[in-house]
Amino acid sequence: VRLVESGGGSVQTGGSLRLSCTISTSLSDSGCMGWFRQAPGQEREGVATIDRDGSAYYADSVKGRFTISQDNAKNTLDLQMNSLKPEDTAMYYCAASFAFLPRGYCQNRKLEGYARWGQGTQVTVSS
């Protein structure tokens, strides 16, 4: 199974980007899926996750600005990012667990338990 991200780029503050993660298998057994990011010198963090039942969870820093969604027909996981800020600059990764995660892992956007990760796509927001 492969996950391939696309859609990253450079934008100015206030701009928008839409990231897409193409997954090489059906999403019906994808488990918890999510978008994570890592800025230089910082730890990887969970940005947004979506659970088997479609429930979405967001980091406080992106609530109201980012929207995670999945398209089961296209086998994609998307992240619409609006009102971008310089602090959103990072490498963004998608991941899928393909299994049940321990209680709270998906909701709290924990890094553990994901069976597959993409290679990442860079997002740069300039002021």
Side-chain angles (χ1 to χ4, degrees), residues 40-118:
Q42 297 187 21
E43 295 185 351
R44 191 171 297 189
E45 63 172 349
V47 174
T49 52
I50 186 165
D51 212 339
R52 292 170 175 266
D53 62 359
S55 297
Y57 307 100
Y58 298 93
D60 288 344
S61 59
V62 307
K63 279 181 182 176
R65 301 189 297 122
F66 291 10
T67 303
I68 189 171
S69 62
Q70 65 182 84
D71 187 327
N72 291 344
K74 296 181 180 179
N75 292 346
T76 59
L77 177 72
D78 296 329
L79 185 69
Q80 178 66 44
M81 305 187 296
N82 299 328
S83 302
L84 283 162
K85 305 175 181 180
E87 50 264 43
D88 294 318
T89 295
M91 185 71 79
Y92 283 70
Y93 301 89
C94 65
S97 67
F98 292 104
F100 284 102
L101 294 181
R103 185 180 178 85
Y105 271 49
C106 194
Q107 182 176 359
N108 294 306
R109 305 172 314 283
K110 290 184 175 293
L111 299 178
E112 296 84 4
Y114 291 91
R116 291 289 186 271
W117 290 81

